[in-house]
Amino acid sequence: MRQVIIVGSGPAAYTAAIYAARADLAPLVIASSVEFGGELMKTTEVENFPGFPEGIMGPELMTKMQEQAERFGAELVYDDVTKLELEGEIKRVHLGSGEVHEALAVIYATGSAYRKLGLADEERLSGYGVSWCATCDGAFFRQKKVAVVGGGDSALEEATFLTRFADTVYLVHRREELRASKAMQERAFADPKIEFLWNQEVAHIYGDEKVTGMGLVSTVDGTETTKDLDGLFVAIGADPRTHLVHGQLELAPEGTVAVRGRSSMTNLEGVFAAGDVVDPSYKQAITAAGSGCVAALDAERYLSELPAELLARAAGTAPQPQPASA
């Protein structure tokens, strides 16, 4: 049995592992068998993570976080969690291999998955002009022409942010009315750099080594048009990866795991959540990392209050039964 198991392998999970390992909790990190490292594994250069003034590639940043966690004693398992049993004093984590790991505390840091358009070239050109994060990648498109797909607050926030860099920002929306708040709409309509393409869907993304254009189809009459582009930002929402905890952890109205105040504590004792899976707003590597730190500190505090005998079992140092005195 472990003291703590961390489910996930993004900035929140690795930061939690670093703090938990340094606290001698010997954390076990369950990383995905395929998508380990989180969304940053799909990002090229990261310029806004503190400590890297020249920038750093997303996969390299995640590798460094992983190495730092392992340096302090965190153990990684590359497998997929198939089931979680989170109620009760001892938590159980079931893996695709059939193994079942037990722990006194679990940190759930599975992140979120950006919704995609479902186009074949979307994945191929990911990191080469196709992005899901204007804050992360907008600076690469100075004096360029870009498009944002979506019609909600996040899409208009992305489009408005991109006008700081790009010369032209197309806002592609499949309807003729936006879902965004009135304030966001007014700000976008007043921006001369934003051009609205109403009743349009992106059907094609063009480019060999990087994005060069997009093909649009009218949702009204089916006519097709093309636009030259340097970048395409998809802002049609993101879904927190909460499928493993449905029916066990309470969810917030936004669909994220609900936590108490600024803590990482969920509705179940000994279960903590961190990163994008609890964050409906910011979704940045640095905020996820900070959240992972909070989760590790909360877990350490929780464990410190458990009975010594139970902690000894988890640490593998349970005292041996003593012979009865004469």
Side-chain angles (χ1 to χ4, degrees):
M1 184 169 60
R2 302 278 181 155
Q3 293 187 76
V4 59
I5 291 177
I6 300 167
V7 181
S9 59
Y14 283 149
T15 303
I18 291 167
Y19 274 77
R22 292 187 74 248
D24 291 330
L25 301 182
L28 177 67
V29 181
I30 309 296
S32 168
S33 64
V34 178
E35 296 184 343
F36 51 87
E39 293 297 322
L40 278 182
M41 296 298 287
K42 304 174 184 177
T43 304
T44 52
E45 192 168 4
V46 178
E47 292 190 317
N48 55 3
F49 198 89
F52 299 94
E54 304 302 322
I56 184 172
M57 301 298 284
E60 183 184 359
L61 177 60
M62 297 318 301
T63 298
K64 287 182 177 294
M65 286 189 179
Q66 174 190 329
E67 291 173 351
Q68 189 172 1
E70 290 180 308
R71 173 193 167 200
F72 291 116
E75 180 184 347
L76 266 71
V77 171
Y78 294 101
D79 202 344
D80 298 311
V81 177
T82 59
K83 180 182 176 183
L84 292 172
E85 297 179 61
L86 300 176
E87 295 187 10
E89 195 171 61
I90 298 176
K91 326 299 180 183
R92 293 176 176 84
V93 180
H94 298 252
L95 304 184
S97 63
E99 293 183 342
V100 179
H101 292 274
E102 296 183 337
L104 298 176
V106 167
I107 296 175
Y108 190 72
T110 52
S112 63
Y114 290 115
R115 294 176 192 157
K116 298 178 180 179
L117 299 173
L119 302 176
D121 291 321
E122 186 177 13
E123 289 292 339
R124 182 176 65 84
L125 293 169
S126 173
Y128 298 93
V130 175
S131 174
W132 290 264
C133 180
T135 308
C136 307
D137 300 327
F140 299 118
F141 296 92
R142 296 181 187 276
Q143 299 179 317
K144 302 289 186 179
K145 190 177 294 185
V146 302
V148 175
V149 184
D153 278 353
S154 60
L156 267 62
E157 287 174 1
E158 298 269 285
T160 302
F161 179 82
L162 287 166
T163 59
R164 303 181 186 183
F165 311 101
D167 287 341
T168 301
V169 179
Y170 296 116
L171 195 291
V172 184
H173 187 45
R174 65 188 313 273
R175 300 183 179 86
E176 60 183 13
E177 293 182 356
L178 299 168
R179 304 186 310 276
S181 64
K182 183 177 179 181
M184 287 300 305
Q185 291 191 44
E186 289 177 350
R187 186 186 308 172
F189 289 144
D191 197 315
K193 287 189 175 183
I194 299 178
E195 180 178 336
F196 289 84
L197 303 178
W198 302 105
N199 300 310
Q200 300 286 334
E201 286 186 334
V202 177
H204 304 283
I205 305 173
Y206 300 117
D208 293 328
E209 297 181 354
K210 61 181 181 179
V211 171
T212 58
M214 64 178 173
L216 302 172
V217 174
S218 169
T219 58
V220 176
D221 56 21
T223 57
E224 299 184 13
T225 56
T226 60
K227 291 283 187 183
D228 292 335
L229 280 184
D230 300 291
L232 179 70
F233 290 81
V234 182
I236 55 177
D239 297 310
R241 293 188 174 100
T242 58
H243 59 287
L244 289 169
V245 297
H246 287 177
Q248 297 188 77
L249 298 185
E250 292 179 359
L251 302 182
E254 299 87 354
T256 52
V257 175
V259 293
R260 301 181 209 166
R262 297 184 62 188
S263 79
S264 65
M265 294 181 287
T266 69
N267 59 294
L268 294 180
E269 290 294 318
V271 181
F272 309 88
D276 284 3
V277 79
V278 303
D279 176 14
S281 303
Y282 301 106
K283 301 184 185 300
Q284 298 296 302
I286 188 62
T287 53
S291 180
C293 166
V294 168
L297 295 176
D298 285 343
E300 181 184 3
R301 188 176 299 111
Y302 168 78
L303 291 167
S304 71
E305 296 173 354
L306 293 180
E309 181 181 344
L310 192 59
L311 287 171
R313 284 176 55 197
T317 57
Q320 298 299 312
Q322 298 297 314
S325 57

